[in-house]
Amino acid sequence: PTSLYVTADKAMISSILRNLILNAIKFTKPGGDIIISTEQKLDKLIVSVSDNGVGIKPESIKKLFRIDENYSTIGTQNEKGTGLGLILCKNFIEKHGGEIWVESELGKGSKFWFTIPKVQ
């Protein structure tokens, strides 16, 4: 929405969105769906990036945002990753006073959300 304002670092938010969208592309087969949406709440903006890709194992979800866990998987077209992108996203979001989380089901896709506080 054009009437919603948040205080944020444009480069950091761009980096977060770019990482989440590229991950969705990486883990979704050609012809799949990727949806980017926003939702307004009283005190924050919620942004989501969802896909109908390969999904993430439940035991792997808890490793995604942790610097002390090395987690990386190969994409649907054999793309390689370092596993650091989501850790950076979490760090950038937390610097803005927000949070990030994910829901995923193997074979059905993933949905990543993050929040950014609204200007008061």
Side-chain angles (χ1 to χ4, degrees), residues 4 19 42 49 52 62 74 76 85-86 95 114 118:
L4 178 66
N19 187 278
L42 289 176
V49 177
N52 62 347
K62 51 189 158 195
I74 302 295
T76 58
L86 290 174
K95 286 193 180 300
F114 69 92
K118 289 188 344 189

Side-chain angles (χ1 to χ4, degrees), residues 39-50:
E39 178 184 349
Q40 295 183 54
K41 292 290 184 178
L42 289 176
D43 60 345
K44 61 188 161 195
L45 172 69
I46 302 173
V47 180
S48 68
V49 177
S50 63

Side-chain angles (χ1 to χ4, degrees), residues 72-85:
S72 181
T73 59
I74 302 295
T76 58
Q77 304 292 309
N78 292 318
E79 305 96 331
K80 294 182 180 178
T82 62
L84 294 175

Side-chain angles (χ1 to χ4, degrees), residues 2-81:
T2 57
S3 63
L4 178 66
Y5 295 95
V6 295
T7 300
D9 182 284
K10 185 177 179 180
M12 284 187 187
I13 298 301
S14 293
S15 180
I16 293 163
L17 286 168
R18 188 170 43 255
N19 187 278
L20 294 177
I21 293 166
L22 287 174
N23 279 351
I25 292 168
K26 182 191 222 180
F27 296 108
T28 301
K29 294 182 180 169
D33 295 318
I34 297 168
I35 299 168
I36 303 153
S37 64
T38 60
E39 178 184 349
Q40 295 183 54
K41 292 290 184 178
L42 289 176
D43 60 345
K44 61 188 161 195
L45 172 69
I46 302 173
V47 180
S48 68
V49 177
S50 63
D51 64 63
N52 62 347
V54 298
I56 306 165
K57 296 176 187 176
E59 62 270 16
S60 298
I61 289 176
K62 51 189 158 195
K63 298 177 184 180
L64 292 178
F65 303 108
R66 295 184 50 159
I67 192 75
D68 61 335
E69 294 278 349
N70 186 10
Y71 180 77
S72 181
T73 59
I74 302 295
T76 58
Q77 304 292 309
N78 292 318
E79 305 96 331
K80 294 182 180 178

